[in-house]
Amino acid sequence: MSTLLPLKTKKKYKPAKLRIYFSFSSEGYGHSSRALAVAKRFSDDELVLGTYSYAYEKIKSYSFPSIRLQQEIKLMGSDGSFDVGKTIIRSHSQALTYNQIIQQEIDVIEAYEPTCVVADGRMAPVLAADIIGLPCIVVTNQSAFYPFFEKDSALIKIFGKSFDWVMKTWLSSAEELLIPDFPPPHTVCLPNLSSNIKVMKRQKFIGPLVAWKRSEIEICERESTRPYVIVTLGGHAYRRPLFDAMLSVANKLKDIDFDIFTSFEAKSIPSNVTLRGLVPSIASYYKAASLIITQAGHSTAMEILTLGKPALVVPDKKQIEQENNARRLCELGVATQMKYDELSVNNLAQRIKMMLESSCYSEAAENMAQIAEKIDGTKQAEMVLRDYSTRLMAY
């Protein structure tokens, strides 16, 4: 880590009041949704939020201070799938600017004088907090990284082992790792967590971090009383086969209503299908659904489980984290899984009918929702952050 020094810091650091600094990634949906879920537990003058890209545009609508940060790592893809090699090469080319990224984090910390730093998907704030001596909490659903590299070339595997070591060292610099998931044995992200003892001893399972309580969500209004299936696809090109298959399935299952949340378009749309783009909150639709068809992203999994909804998951190709999540959701009895090479119209239609007719998936999902209500993940996170802030201010 010697290449990160020297960096400019003040000689003394003594914050006058409680203030939490969240520094989070804009790569994917989960980081920003978790940060905002926890942020609701604090008053505006107790927070500073830092991120970049679309997540920064999202948080600007809130009243607490927001900082535009530099991007750390840009995820690269090839033919619609995550490309480990390209991501590593791109990250190595940006290594010379990393000092600047850490220095920006130090400058933000010294300008706003937080009592605790929270990092979600970013390494720089952890290093900056360590340099200054501030308590830092990492929020993550993944603390094992080598599995991403196991199926790549020998050269990429070598880089992967190096990257995995760096990430373990980074995670070991934090006071605690908050795992925004159900405690064992109900943990969805368990296969994605490190078995390194230095990392394991810092992990704390606090429950899902979602921006709502189930009791506060109003069900979206529907004229029909038929079974209601939601499909979330976004707009990634490699998910187009699932979109096309769903339109054909809807033609086959006329007694079921489908809402598809996507940016894809089609010339012919069945009468029982509604295409929806981005919505401010999908929770009211989730709550009304009989079944949800989605990828196996962690944040989406936490959202649908807190609402007690069963799922048919179709993980993105070559996405190891999603494949692990999908397997765990099936083991927990709340979901079934299909892969892209299984997506024939008949197979998909039969699976949807089977899940709608069976009560076991809904019952298992309802059990998870009740566990989430008892844990109250956002309250658990708030207690940890206030505790570390109090420790610092006590002196």
Side-chain angles (χ1 to χ4, degrees):
M1 305 301 288
S2 60
T3 56
L4 299 178
L5 300 173
L7 291 163
K8 297 178 181 178
T9 62
K10 292 179 180 178
K11 291 183 179 180
K12 293 184 179 180
Y13 185 87
K14 189 176 180 181
K17 59 170 293 184
L18 184 146
R19 181 177 284 123
I20 310 298
Y21 170 45
F22 287 84
S23 177
F24 54 94
S25 170
S26 186
E27 306 295 326
Y29 163 75
H31 306 291
S32 59
S33 64
R34 291 194 294 243
L36 290 172
V38 178
K40 291 183 178 181
R41 305 287 306 195
F42 295 87
S43 62
D44 294 347
D45 62 348
E46 292 179 322
L47 290 171
V48 180
L49 297 189
T51 187
Y52 55 94
S53 188
Y54 84 94
Y56 177 74
E57 299 303 321
K58 181 179 179 180
I59 66 170
K60 279 201 307 183
S61 61
Y62 294 83
S63 55
F64 34 69
S66 56
I67 307 295
R68 187 191 295 275
L69 301 175
Q70 290 180 260
Q71 185 176 14
E72 279 190 339
I73 298 175
K74 183 174 179 60
L75 302 181
M76 304 297 290
S78 177
D79 298 325
S81 298
F82 174 59
D83 191 307
V84 174
K86 288 184 178 180
T87 298
I88 290 176
I89 292 170
R90 175 64 179 267
S91 298
H92 273 261
S93 69
Q94 293 178 323
L96 294 177
T97 66
Y98 205 67
N99 258 25
Q100 299 174 9
I101 297 174
I102 298 174
Q103 186 63 60
Q104 183 190 25
E105 293 283 5
I106 290 174
D107 293 343
V108 171
I109 290 171
E110 294 188 333
Y112 288 91
E113 297 189 333
T115 46
C116 186
V117 175
V118 184
D120 192 336
R122 286 176 64 84
M123 293 186 288
V126 183
L127 299 173
D130 189 50
I131 290 169
I132 292 175
L134 269 180
C136 183
I137 307 300
V138 170
V139 179
T140 184
N141 57 280
Q142 183 177 4
S143 56
F145 298 92
Y146 185 67
F148 269 108
F149 307 90
E150 285 182 316
K151 297 181 181 180
D152 273 279
S153 66
L155 180 60
I156 295 301
K157 285 182 180 179
I158 293 173
F159 278 117
K161 287 185 177 180
S162 174
F163 180 76
D164 194 56
W165 179 85
V166 169
M167 298 304 281
K168 287 175 183 176
T169 304
W170 160 61
L171 292 173
S172 298
S173 299
E175 271 63 43
E176 288 195 41
L177 310 180
L178 300 188
I179 311 300
D181 202 327
F182 297 85
H186 301 103
T187 314
V188 172
C189 68
L190 202 59
N192 300 318
L193 299 180
S194 175
S195 58
N196 179 279
I197 192 67
K198 291 183 179 180
V199 176
M200 289 174 65
K201 69 181 182 180
R202 288 174 166 80
Q203 292 179 165
K204 181 183 180 70
F205 296 88
I206 59 170
L209 295 180
V210 299
W212 59 69
K213 291 185 180 295
R214 180 165 65 157
S215 59
E216 298 173 353
I217 300 298
E218 295 184 3
I219 296 178
C220 67
E221 295 184 4
R222 298 182 59 239
E223 296 180 358
S224 171
T225 58
R226 299 185 300 185
Y228 177 44
V229 175
I230 283 180
V231 187
T232 63
L233 287 175
H236 294 296
Y238 52 88
R239 294 176 185 164
R240 181 79 198 200
L242 178 55
F243 175 72
D244 293 335
M246 286 306 311
L247 295 182
S248 298
V249 166
N251 271 321
K252 192 178 183 70
L253 302 178
K254 292 290 189 181
D255 58 339
I256 299 173
D257 293 329
F258 295 86
D259 271 12
I260 304 179
F261 292 79
T262 184
S263 59
F264 294 137
E265 297 179 352
K267 292 181 179 179
S268 178
I269 301 174
S271 60
N272 57 331
V273 171
T274 300
L275 296 186
R276 300 186 186 275
L278 294 175
V279 294
S281 175
I282 200 172
S284 62
Y285 298 93
Y286 279 163
K287 192 170 183 178
S290 310
L291 175 68
I292 297 169
I293 301 175
T294 186
Q295 294 67 56
H298 186 262
S299 292
T300 300
M302 293 301 100
E303 289 179 348
I304 62 180
L305 288 180
T306 58
L307 294 175
K309 297 299 176 179
L312 168 54
V313 291
V314 186
D316 293 333
K317 288 183 179 180
K318 299 182 181 179
Q319 227 292 6
I320 305 300
E321 180 196 355
Q322 287 191 16
E323 291 175 0
N324 288 340
N325 290 340
R327 185 174 72 254
R328 282 292 295 152
L329 289 167
C330 294
E331 291 171 355
L332 292 167
V334 299
T336 66
Q337 176 185 183
M338 292 189 75
K339 298 181 179 179
Y340 271 86
D341 55 10
E342 301 173 327
L343 288 180
S344 71
V345 174
N346 286 337
N347 284 347
L348 191 52
Q350 290 175 7
R351 184 67 62 86
I352 291 171
K353 289 178 65 177
M354 181 274 292
M355 293 195 71
L356 290 175
E357 292 169 359
S358 175
S359 62
C360 63
Y361 302 102
S362 297
E363 290 170 358
E366 174 59 29
N367 180 57
M368 296 292 280
Q370 292 179 17
I371 294 173
E373 286 181 357
K374 291 179 182 178
I375 298 172
D376 194 349
T378 57
K379 182 178 180 180
Q380 295 294 326
E382 178 195 7
M383 290 171 62
V384 171
L385 302 185
R386 289 191 183 278
D387 176 42
Y388 276 98
S389 294
T390 303
R391 295 183 200 184
L392 190 66
M393 296 175 67
Y395 301 94

